[in-house]
Amino acid sequence: LLLLTNASGSLRSHLPPGSLMLIADHINAPQRSPLIGQPGNDRFTDMSAAYDPELREHAKKVARAHNLAVGEGTYVWALGPQFETPAEIRMFSAWGADAVGMSTVPETILARHAGLRVMGLALMTNMAAGLSEEALTHALTLQQAQLSGERAANYLGWVLGSLAQVESLRS
Ligand code: HPA
């Protein structure tokens, strides 16, 4: 089981900075793959339920039990390291993305190839380019991550501490 976390830019007003979002699916915008050059037919990895639905349901249940607002949505991978342009963010928004970031997608592809179950949690550190007056800086994303880190860590602790409640993980 692989639990991935990241800092993201939010494309949705209902996910302001500080929000947590369970990743339900992703968009590999650069169309790059860590599986290029892998031998064998298992490189044709199924990505149709890449973010484990049962683990996500569990994480949602834990959030409800602790009265914690945790969203759910689609993460789009932007290669970076520069931030996006407002035009790129409008395009990603039209594609159905809810959060944008520079990680997680290649990790998830590799993990699925290796047969791991994946859970992804995104912390919104800023509104994406063009969606707020504020200029985007790395310092600002770090600052917001600091502010929300403890809440996110507590939540992850609750989720991990109760994994035994997940039916398919019971031995
Ligand atoms: N874009 C890309 N990656 C990010 C952002 C963003 O706005 N915020 C945190 N990581």
Side-chain angles (χ1 to χ4, degrees):
L1 193 157
L2 180 66
L3 173 57
L4 294 169
T5 64
N6 67 44
S8 292
S10 171
L11 278 67
R12 305 291 173 208
S13 56
H14 70 270
L15 294 169
S19 307
L20 293 170
M21 185 191 92
L22 288 162
I23 301 176
D25 204 349
H26 76 218
I27 298 172
N28 181 353
Q31 284 293 292
R32 293 205 180 179
S33 174
L35 302 182
I36 299 263
Q38 278 284 327
N41 282 342
D42 68 352
R43 71 188 188 277
F44 301 111
T45 300
D46 180 21
M47 295 297 292
S48 53
Y51 298 88
D52 195 277
E54 194 186 5
L55 294 179
R56 202 160 67 249
E57 276 315 307
H58 170 68
K60 284 155 73 172
K61 204 169 76 182
V62 170
R64 278 195 300 273
H66 287 86
N67 236 337
L68 186 69
V70 177
E72 186 177 16
T74 297
Y75 175 84
V76 61
W77 179 30
L79 205 52
Q82 75 287 345
F83 285 109
E84 301 71 41
T85 65
E88 287 165 346
I89 293 302
R90 288 195 297 276
M91 177 185 73
F92 290 152
S93 185
W95 285 1
D98 303 296
V100 60
M102 305 176 195
S103 66
T104 306
V105 167
E107 292 92 325
T108 295
I109 294 169
L110 263 187
R112 293 305 295 149
H113 179 257
L116 297 178
R117 297 173 70 175
V118 177
M119 181 153 63
L121 183 69
L123 168 66
M124 304 302 143
T125 54
N126 55 279
M127 294 309 292
L131 300 181
S132 86
E133 303 296 306
E134 227 158 14
L136 295 181
T137 64
H138 186 55
L140 212 75
T141 61
L142 288 180
Q143 193 186 351
Q144 184 61 50
Q146 281 288 337
L147 285 175
S148 312
E150 194 176 324
R151 193 164 36 90
N154 284 337
Y155 176 53
L156 288 176
W158 298 328
V159 170
L160 292 175
S162 55
L163 275 181
Q165 292 171 15
V166 177
E167 186 73 34
S168 62
L169 291 180
R170 283 191 199 138
S171 46

